[in-house]
Each structure stands twice: as C-alpha cells, then as structure tokens.
C-alpha cells in the first residue's frame, strides 16, 4: 500500500483507537496510579506524532502502521480519560465530614428541580466550615431543600423543616448542610446513579438543614456567574405560568425549549417510550439541525441586506461564510441553552465539520465526519459513552449516512411558485421521511431492546405523525414563544392533540414489545443484524440480518432446575423487595419503599422492581406484602398495575382470600412455600389487625428440601421466639434479616433455631436508624453466620443449588466510580 494512502487512513484509525481506549478505560473496576495514565498518554501522543511523519512510516508494512495507529490512539484515549478520573477523585468528600453539620457558602449552579417535597439543585462551593474551622469540600454538590413534615430522601428521616422560598440559578447562599458520598442502588440492569453523578462532576450529595433548631439559610444576593441557567429558569417559569391550566403540556414545552426533561410527567415519559417518540421530547439532533438550517437562512438574508448599506462587509466575509458560521454559532447557542445533551453535541459538531468542509471546498467520507464527532464528544465527556442516548444518537446517524442513496432526484423544472414543483417537493419530502424513519426504526430495534428491554411496535407509525408535528409545529411555536409568549398556549394545544393520538396508539395491546435483556454476545449480534438488514447490500446478504437478530429475541434468562429456587434481594434503599424464582414460577416478597410521604411520590416498585422483572422476563405468579409500612408496601400499586395476573397476599387486606395466614401452603416445581405467620386469631372479625403493623408481618418459608429461605418482614423478637419455640427443628440456609437488622429483631432464640449460613440485610445507605444494629451483627459473628448488607453488596443473589455462595451486584459490575465497601 502506498505511503500516501496509509497517511490518508491514519487519522481515521487513530480516532477509532481513541474511542476504543476510552471504552476500555471505562471498564476498569479500580483506577490505576496517576503516573501510569500519564505514561500511557505521553507514549500515545509521541506515537501519534511519529505516525504523522511520512519518513517514519514509509518503509513499514501497512498492517503494522494501521495497528500502531489503533494502539497509539487507544493509549491516548485511555491515558487522558484515566488521568482526568484520577484528578477528579482527588477532590472526593472526606469521609469524616459525612453526616455532620457543615456550613457552606456558594452559588446555585443549575435549574432547581421542584417537586412535592421541595427543591433539588447543584451547588458550587466557595467556602465551607465545621465548628468554625475551614474544611475542604468537593467543588460541586447536589443538594435538596425539603420543607414541611416529611421524609428526607437523602437519609429516610422524618423531620419538620422550613420550605425553600424559591431558589434561582446564580444566587449566592449560605446553608448548613449534611453531606454524604455519592451512592445509588445497584441492581441488575438498573440505573447507575453513581455514574450519573460522576459525569455531572458531583462528588457529594446532601440536604439543607432548615429545622426549628438549625441556623436559617441565608440568601447573600444574586450573581452573574450562571447567566445561561438563570435565563433557562426564567423561560421555564414563564412557560409554566403561561400554560398553567395544563402542567403536563407545559413540562413538554420546557423540555423542548430549555432541555428541562425533569419537567415532563412520569406518566408522559411512559407514554412516549411506549410509542417510541421519547427522543423527540428532548432537544434532539433533528431539532438542532432544523434550527441551524433556519438560522443559516436568516443570517444569509440579513448579511445580503447589510451589503447594501456596508459593501465592505460582503467583501471581507462572503455571504456563504457568514451564513455558515452564523448558523453553526446560533445552533451552538441553542444547544447550550437547551442543556447541551449528547444528541445536541453530536449534531453541532457534525454541522461544524460539514460547514467547515464546504466552505473550504473539501469533502470527507461520512465515516470520518461521524467518527470525528464521536471522538470530540468523548473528549468533552468520556463518560458519555455509558449513556444509552450516546449510542442511539450516533448509531442512528451512522445508519442514515450508510443507507443514504447518495443521489437525490431533482424536482421537475418550473417556476418557484409552480404548484406542481411544490407538490413534487412535498411528495419527495414525505417519501424521504418515511424511508428514513423506517430505516432507523428497523435498525435500532435490536439496540433499543438491548438498552431498555422494550421496543415500540407502533413507533414507526407514531413517529411518522410525531416527527413533523413536533419538529415543524410544536418546537418552532415553543421557541417563538420566548419572543411572543401567547404562542406557548398554541404550542400547548398542539402537545395535547399529539398526546391524544399517542394515547390511542398506546392502548393497542401489542403497542410495545418487552423482552429479557440478552447477554452481550447475542445482543451485539442482534444489533449487527439490524444494521445489516437496512444497508444497501444485495438482499441475499441483507436477509442474514434476521438470523442474527433471532437468537436475542428468543433468549430467556436461565432459571433454577426443577426442585431448586433462587432468591434475589433487590437493592431498594431503606426497604425490602425480594424476588423468588423456581423453574417456571416467580414470587415477589414485598414491593420496596415509597420515596416520599405524598401518595403520588415515586416508589421502588416503579423505579427498581419492575425494570428488573422486565429485564429478566418475569411474569409474577404471586406477590406477598409482609405488612402495610411504606418501606415494604410502597411499590405495591405500581407492581399490581403492571402485573395484574399475580395472586396477592398481605397482612392488611380486607378480603379474606388475599390475607396471609399461617398454614397456607403450595408447591411450585418441586419447591414448597409455606406461610408461618400471622395466626388466624391475629385478625379481627372485620379483617383488621389485632397486632401492631410490624408484628403482623407475613413470614414466608421457601424450601427445596435440602435448603430453605426464611423471610420475616419486620417481625419483632416476641413473634420470632414464639415461632422458633413452636418449630424447634426448623432450619434455614438463608435468612432475610428481620426488620433490616434492627436490634428489636434477629433474636438469639431465632438464630439458634434456624442456624442460617447467610443473612441478607436490606437497609438504606447511612440510614438514620442505624440498621443493621452493631449488636445484631455481633450475634451473627458469634454464631459464624455470614452476612451482606445492600449498601455494600447491592442486589444479593442466592441459589439453593449453590447454597454457600451469595453473589453481590456491586462485585459483579464494579466500576471505579462506584462507592467502595464501608465508604
């Protein structure tokens, strides 16, 4: 291969290596020392510079040159990303400052997100003190200010607090706060909150102390340090006020104008995902492209008019240059104003490259433009590679590039106002829309199933309606509303009309396809199959695509053998939810907490339990809710709505057929299920409980014969002793820690009787109750009982076929941004 041709390919291969290096570094369970990354970066940069010297590669075999380009690019990508991570970790929160009062002064650096409980916002720290002594804190925090009598989401505590007066981006405040290191729930296929916080530069979370005995928060004044966020908040509030009679439509408009996706109602997000139009309800590449096209045209017209008054301007900067650069600049401003998400970044970068090439009368192959935009996005934010939106955005654009026919049929010649010419353009535009949407829908279906476990069957039809409606009507009206506020009302009516159409589509029983998440080899093969199916290749080759997709569609996660069962104790925070599976059946014990005192507050059933059930392809046969406390029954409504076929048992249902009563037994696939408590006499004649809520907890025993599990909810020591004395020969291989390891449970009598090998504790990170209690852990240690706690373990999996092992999700999927045990 001639050296010149190799030189022509080296840039592409170096960029590919860069992306590969970033991807490999993001798989590290722990960071290396800083000098290691510095050495990688230095060697990689030197290698890349050598590759760009024609003399250095002239005598080398082409394969060696391309391999060296890939390797050096990977070294630069991994080295730079690792070095940035090491520097970021250096500013982590001092563990000794967790859970104590710290007085901080700084600025609100984001749009405050308002909810029923209060406000959540990002805060840039200027100074911090504890006990009148200066302390060092991470530069950026995420804080909550919660008012009234309610549960503090950060700690699960209940207290009386003064509500926020209404915070504004850019304001300086002095707060007394309590902080903790970033921590989130760790579940199979679950949301990685710790990575999300890391990517946003947040190294501590906490809440404002505003109780009667706390120092009052003090506003120190406004600043001009965050003008963009201040403007975004102002526009968002004006939209909310203007469309006050329809807050759900106002939320969609705020998302389209300023990128405030949290303003969209959860029910609307479910609707948009079911119908496959969720990508339109945020600032997408399509929106930015349309804005850039309009901005380019407007700048071109204005620049030509300016030339009549000031001819020198046209001579200094020709109209194509002014229009191109002005369009990209305004598109960049719009993308920044709307939150600078990955799709917006990708579009702006691609527009900049394309405009630059056109102005320079050059042409690059589309893979080079595509890969350059990807590399620059990862240069700005390497951890964006872990976002689902990153892959959906770049894969969709890559597919459109690869499948573009490269030749557009020209419209018939005619006058500009010729109806026939306009009709032809309209037909061609509609044909292009249908073709592109069909291509993207088919190609992205396997990737969507991989990332979300669902695919919208009605997505093609919904997008054919929603894309022109949102892009050509709703979004322009919403943007023009910044200048002419009454247009927001019109845009709100347009959103309502679209919602009615989407609701009609979502009601179809087959509107969305849910499948278990396939392993990576099958998933990657399916993604390749979807891409292959739409490429412009001979049909004999393209028909191989379905063969690659089919294994992922048929995949079902492995289940226990007949006569065996497994147990998955989910990580739901301060609460409980346990999935039990046999060969062909599954049971959910408790549904997790509700994250707030309001009836419509978010709950673990919707956020944790249901995503896991869908990812595993589970259809529940039964649900047992131990007792009515919200940390065990908070997610019941969400689970019941999504799994209506399941049989329900609880200790607080007025229907006798739905009560758990000692003596109830059934067998699934050779595995015995038995309810041990409460007794029939513990219920009054009208079905109400005669005992306290905790004491009424449904106790469930599951046995495969050789091994068993004992789940007791929040049962107290008195009931534990009675059950142990009534069945002195009872044994359990694994015990779900009663009452989250409270000192009022896990009595010595119960432990001596059951003699468990493992205890699984479900508790919240740094919870105010002190669960699990040190005295209880000492009891476990004295008896040689091994135990795991969900904050350090994440979701815990135990299998009766392998009774000596408990698998922790945090160990299976550990990354360096995750909290370390006992941190």
């Amino acid at each position: 291969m001639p050296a010149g041709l190799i030189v022509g390919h080296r840039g592409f291969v170096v960029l590919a290596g860069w992306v590969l290096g970033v991807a490999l570094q993001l798989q590290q369970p722990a960071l290396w020392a800083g000098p290691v990354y510095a050495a990688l970066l230095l060697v990689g940069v030197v290698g890349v510079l050598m590759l760009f010297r024609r003399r250095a590669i002239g005598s080398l075999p082409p394969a060696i040159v391309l391999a060296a380009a890939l390797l050096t690019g990977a070294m630069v990508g991994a080295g730079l990303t690792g070095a940035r991570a090491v520097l970021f970790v250096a500013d982590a929160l001092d563990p000794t400052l967790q859970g104590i009062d710290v007085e901080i002064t700084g600025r609100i650096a984001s749009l405050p997100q308002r909810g029923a409980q209060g406000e959540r916002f990002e805060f840039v720290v200027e100074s911090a003190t504890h006990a009148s002594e200066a302390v060092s804190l991470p530069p950026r925090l995420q804080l909550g200010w919660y008012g009234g009598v309610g549960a503090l989401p950060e700690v699960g505590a209940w207290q009386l607090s003064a509500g926020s007066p209404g915070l504004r981006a850019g304001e300086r405040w002095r707060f007394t706060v309590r902080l903790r290191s970033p921590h989130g729930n760790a579940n199979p296929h679950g949301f990685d909150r710790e990575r999300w916080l890391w990517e946003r530069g947040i190294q501590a979370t906490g809440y404002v102390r505003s109780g009667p005995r706390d120092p009052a928060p003090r506003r120190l004044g406004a600043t001009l340090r965050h003008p963009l966020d201040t403007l975004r908040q102002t526009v968002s509030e004006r939209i909310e006020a203007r469309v006050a009679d329809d807050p759900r439509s106002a939320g969609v408009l705020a998302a389209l104008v300023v990128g405030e996706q949290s303003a969209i109602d959860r029910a609307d997000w479910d609707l948009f995902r079911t119908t496959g139009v969720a990508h339109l309800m945020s600032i997408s590449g399509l929106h930015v492209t349309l804005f850039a096209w309009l901005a380019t045209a407007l700048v071109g017209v204005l620049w030509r008019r300016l030339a009549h008054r000031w001819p020198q301007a046209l001579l200094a900067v020709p109209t194509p240059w002014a229009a191109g650069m002005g369009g990209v600049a305004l598109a960049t401003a719009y993308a920044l104003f709307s939150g600078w998400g990955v799709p917006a970044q990708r579009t702006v970068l691609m527009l900049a490259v394309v405009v630059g090439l056109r102005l320079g009368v050059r042409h690059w192959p589309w893979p080079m433009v595509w890969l350059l935009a990807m590399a620059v996005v990862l240069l700005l934010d390497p951890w964006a590679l872990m976002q689902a939106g990153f892959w959906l955005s770049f894969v969709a654009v890559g597919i459109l590039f690869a499948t573009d026919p490269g030749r557009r049929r020209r419209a018939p010649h005619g006058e500009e106002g010729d109806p026939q010419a306009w009709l032809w353009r309209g037909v061609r535009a509609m044909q292009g829309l249908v073709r592109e949407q069909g291509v993207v829908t088919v190609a992205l279906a396997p990737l969507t199933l991989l990332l979300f476990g669902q695919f919208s069957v009605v997505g093609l039809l919904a997008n054919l309606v929603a894309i022109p409606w949102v892009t050509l009507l709703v979004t322009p009206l919403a943007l023009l509303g910044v200048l002419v506020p009454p247009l927001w009302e019109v845009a709100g009516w347009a959103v309502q009309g679209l919602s009615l159409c989407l609701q009609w589509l979502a009601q179809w029983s087959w509107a969305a396809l849910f499948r278990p998440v396939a392993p990576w080899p099958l998933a990657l093969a399916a993604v390749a199959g979807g891409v292959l199916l739409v490429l412009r290749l001979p049909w004999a080759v393209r028909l191989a695509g379905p063969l690659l997709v089919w294994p992922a569609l048929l995949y079902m996660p492995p289940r226990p053998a007949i006569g065996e069962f497994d147990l998955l104790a989910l990580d739901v925070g301060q609460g409980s939810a346990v999935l039990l599976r046999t060969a062909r059946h599954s049971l959910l014990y408790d549904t997790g907490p509700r994250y707030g005192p309001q009836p419509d507050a978010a709950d673990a059933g919707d956020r944790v339990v249901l995503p896991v059930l869908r990812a595993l392809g589970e259809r529940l046969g039964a649900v047992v809710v131990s007792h009515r406390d919200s940390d065990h029954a908070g997610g019941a409504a969400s689970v019941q709505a999504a799994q209506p076929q399941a049989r329900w048992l609880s200790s607080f249902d007025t229907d006798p057929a739905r009560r758990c009563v000692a003596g109830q037994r059934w067998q699934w696939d050779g595995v015995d299920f038995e309810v041990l408590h409460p007794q029939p006499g513990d219920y009054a004649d009208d079905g109400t409980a005669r005992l306290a809520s905790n004491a009424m907890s449904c106790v469930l025993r599951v046995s495969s014969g050789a091994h068993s599990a004992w789940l007791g909810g929040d049962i107290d020591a008195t009931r534990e002793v009675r059950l142990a004395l009534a069945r002195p020969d009872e044994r359990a291989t694994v015990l779900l820690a009663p009452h989250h390891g409270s000192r009022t449970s896990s009595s010595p009598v119960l432990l001596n009787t059951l003699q468990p090998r493992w205890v699984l504790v479900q508790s919240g990170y740094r919870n105010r109750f002190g669960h699990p209690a040190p005295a209880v852990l000492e009891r476990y240690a004295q008896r040689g009982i091994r135990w795991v706690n969900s904050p350090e373990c994440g979701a815990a999996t135990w299998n009766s076929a392998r009774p000596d092992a408990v698998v922790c999700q945090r160990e299976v999927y550990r990354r360096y941004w995750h909290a370390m045990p006992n941190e």
Side-chain angles (χ1 to χ4, degrees):
M1 182 182 295
L5 189 56
I6 297 175
V7 170
H9 288 81
R10 69 195 168 178
F12 181 84
V13 178
V14 167
L15 289 177
W18 166 280
V19 175
L20 177 63
V22 173
L24 292 175
Q25 196 280 332
L26 296 183
Q27 304 306 309
Q28 288 190 278
L31 289 172
W32 296 334
V36 177
Y37 293 114
L40 268 179
L41 180 59
L42 178 61
V43 173
V45 169
V46 172
V48 170
L49 294 177
M50 292 294 292
L51 286 171
F52 277 78
R53 296 182 61 188
R54 191 178 297 269
R55 291 182 180 178
I57 66 173
S59 60
L60 294 176
I64 297 296
V65 174
L66 296 180
L70 186 69
L71 178 61
T72 54
M75 294 174 70
V76 174
L80 182 58
T81 303
R84 290 173 62 176
V86 169
L87 293 175
F88 184 73
V89 167
D91 290 328
L93 178 68
D94 184 346
T96 62
L97 297 178
Q98 294 190 97
I100 62 175
D101 287 351
V102 179
E103 186 177 87
I104 61 175
T105 300
R107 307 182 306 276
I108 297 172
S110 69
L111 273 71
Q113 297 181 6
R114 295 185 175 89
Q117 294 176 266
E119 295 187 270
R120 181 170 293 185
F121 54 95
E122 295 178 18
F123 193 79
V124 173
V125 178
E126 297 175 353
S127 63
T129 60
H130 170 64
S132 300
E133 294 186 4
V135 295
S136 177
L137 292 182
R140 197 175 191 93
L141 315 174
Q142 185 189 66
L143 299 176
W145 189 341
Y146 310 107
V149 180
L152 298 175
E154 292 291 335
V155 294
W158 290 74
Q159 73 168 36
L160 175 65
S161 302
S164 157
L167 303 173
R168 300 198 62 79
E171 289 181 334
R172 292 185 73 245
W173 281 82
R174 180 174 293 126
F175 296 129
T176 298
V177 300
R178 287 194 177 177
L179 303 173
R180 65 180 188 178
S181 299
H183 195 281
N185 299 332
N187 292 289
H189 313 291
F191 174 65
D192 191 344
R193 183 171 183 263
E194 289 161 51
R195 181 201 57 78
W196 182 83
L197 291 170
W198 175 289
E199 185 179 355
R200 297 182 68 86
I202 297 170
Q203 293 175 286
T205 63
Y207 62 95
V208 176
R209 300 277 290 175
S210 57
R213 299 181 180 179
D214 298 315
R218 182 180 175 187
R219 182 181 183 275
L220 303 179
T223 71
L224 299 177
R225 299 292 296 274
H226 303 276
L228 199 57
D229 288 324
T230 303
L231 181 58
R232 293 174 64 206
Q233 182 177 358
T234 299
V235 171
S236 177
E237 291 172 347
R238 289 180 178 176
I239 291 175
E240 182 180 3
R242 192 78 194 190
V243 198
D245 57 338
D246 186 8
R248 295 176 66 170
S249 295
V252 173
L253 297 181
L256 291 174
V257 177
V258 300
E260 191 179 3
Q261 297 187 32
S262 63
I264 297 180
D265 190 84
R266 281 193 303 157
D268 286 331
W269 275 125
D270 292 337
L271 174 65
F272 300 149
R273 281 192 292 265
T274 300
T275 53
V277 301
H279 64 101
L280 293 173
M281 302 307 161
S282 57
I283 306 303
S284 68
L286 189 61
H287 299 149
V288 177
T289 302
L290 175 64
F291 185 89
W293 180 79
L294 294 174
T296 300
L298 179 62
V299 172
V301 171
L302 295 177
W303 197 256
R304 291 188 190 96
R305 293 198 173 186
L306 179 64
H308 294 297
R309 296 176 176 268
W310 188 23
Q312 292 82 359
L314 192 60
L315 294 175
V317 182
T319 300
W321 281 78
M325 293 187 296
V328 171
L330 290 175
T332 303
Y334 172 48
L336 289 169
F337 182 72
S338 61
W340 196 237
V342 168
Q345 294 177 36
R346 181 260 304 161
T347 305
V348 167
L349 292 171
M350 285 189 173
L351 287 172
V353 172
V354 170
V355 169
L357 291 174
R358 286 189 176 181
L359 294 178
V361 196
R362 295 185 179 183
H363 176 74
W364 282 3
W366 73 260
M368 190 67 181
V369 177
W370 180 78
L371 194 58
L372 177 61
M374 180 182 292
V376 174
V377 168
L378 295 181
L379 177 63
L380 298 175
D381 179 11
W383 299 276
L385 192 73
M386 306 298 290
Q387 295 181 20
F390 176 91
W391 291 106
L392 290 172
S393 176
F394 276 100
V395 171
V397 171
I399 289 168
L400 291 176
F401 271 137
T403 59
D404 188 89
R407 54 184 185 276
R408 303 284 185 178
R409 289 181 61 189
R410 297 178 61 86
H413 292 289
E415 296 297 329
E416 193 66 27
D418 186 357
Q420 182 180 358
W422 282 106
L423 177 61
W424 178 262
R425 290 171 183 163
V427 170
R428 295 300 298 164
M430 182 56 66
Q431 288 178 344
L433 174 63
V434 173
R435 174 194 164 275
E436 291 177 358
Q437 189 56 43
V439 165
V440 170
T441 299
V442 172
L444 291 187
L447 182 60
T448 304
L449 281 173
L450 165 66
L451 296 173
F452 305 112
Q454 74 176 77
F455 166 69
S456 176
V457 179
V458 299
L460 176 57
L461 179 58
N463 276 280
L464 290 178
V465 175
I467 286 178
W469 191 264
V470 174
T471 305
L472 302 178
L473 180 63
V474 176
T475 301
L477 287 174
L479 293 174
L480 290 173
V482 176
L483 302 176
V484 187
L487 291 180
W488 282 329
E489 299 179 35
V490 181
W493 298 335
V495 171
Q496 292 178 24
L498 178 63
S499 297
L500 291 175
C501 177
L502 297 178
Q503 289 168 8
W504 177 70
L505 291 173
Q507 289 174 356
W508 298 0
S509 58
W510 45 270
L513 171 68
F514 293 91
R515 295 299 302 162
V517 176
W520 277 103
L522 293 182
L524 292 177
V527 172
V531 173
L532 186 63
L533 189 59
V534 300
L535 290 178
R536 301 180 65 80
L537 298 171
W539 275 104
V541 178
R542 295 167 69 175
L543 288 177
L547 298 179
L548 295 173
V549 173
W550 201 248
L553 290 177
L554 296 180
Y555 171 78
M556 289 298 296
R559 301 189 68 89
I562 295 292
E564 303 289 352
F565 72 98
D566 62 20
L567 179 154
L568 174 61
L570 296 171
D571 185 5
V572 294
Q574 186 64 24
S576 181
V578 180
L579 177 65
L580 296 143
R581 303 190 311 158
T582 65
R584 291 185 294 268
H585 296 82
S586 57
L587 177 146
L588 181 67
Y589 182 87
D590 282 338
T591 60
R594 188 174 68 244
Y595 300 125
Q598 296 79 13
D600 60 344
D603 60 79
D606 179 60
R607 293 193 173 183
V608 177
V609 176
L610 291 179
V612 170
L613 294 179
R614 289 170 182 151
L616 297 178
E618 292 297 332
R619 181 177 170 86
L620 296 176
V623 178
V624 177
V625 183
S626 62
H627 60 299
R628 68 170 63 250
D629 287 4
S630 65
D631 58 335
H632 294 251
S638 297
V639 174
Q640 192 163 21
Q643 301 272 348
Q645 78 289 338
R647 176 193 178 193
W648 282 72
L649 294 174
S650 71
S651 61
F652 53 89
D653 203 297
T654 57
D655 184 356
R658 291 163 59 95
R659 294 180 201 154
C660 54
V661 181
Q664 292 172 326
R665 303 187 62 149
W666 66 94
Q667 188 179 87
W668 283 343
D669 309 317
V671 177
D672 294 318
F673 292 76
E674 181 181 5
V675 177
L676 306 180
H677 182 78
Q679 301 297 320
D682 294 333
Y683 292 99
D685 294 338
D686 60 356
T688 58
R690 298 183 186 274
L691 304 176
S693 178
N694 285 354
M696 286 294 294
S697 292
C698 302
V699 178
L700 180 67
R701 179 180 182 270
V702 185
S703 175
S704 64
H707 302 286
S708 62
W710 204 91
L711 295 80
D714 282 353
I715 193 171
D716 58 5
T718 301
R719 250 54 59 176
E720 290 179 355
V721 171
R722 289 181 182 178
L723 287 172
L725 295 178
R727 305 176 66 152
D729 296 328
E730 186 82 38
R731 298 293 182 267
T733 314
V734 62
L735 169 68
L736 182 68
H739 202 178
H740 318 286
S742 166
R743 64 176 181 271
T744 61
S745 301
S746 294
S747 60
V749 175
L750 180 70
L751 297 178
N752 293 339
T753 301
L754 296 182
Q755 300 176 21
R757 299 185 193 180
W758 283 98
V759 173
L760 309 181
V761 184
Q762 290 184 300
S763 66
Y765 175 64
R766 297 185 61 84
N767 64 87
R768 76 179 183 102
F769 309 104
H771 296 158
V776 170
L777 298 181
E778 180 62 25
R779 291 176 204 161
Y780 298 158
Q782 290 173 353
R783 292 162 176 80
I785 302 172
R786 290 169 290 179
W787 59 275
V788 294
N789 190 16
S790 53
E792 293 84 33
C793 176
T797 303
W798 176 88
N799 194 307
S800 63
R802 297 178 293 277
D804 291 326
V806 168
V807 179
C808 290
Q809 179 66 19
R810 284 191 176 272
E811 293 301 323
V812 172
Y813 181 73
R814 177 167 296 285
R815 297 293 182 267
Y816 57 80
W817 54 79
H818 289 153
M820 295 293 110
N822 303 316
E823 190 173 87

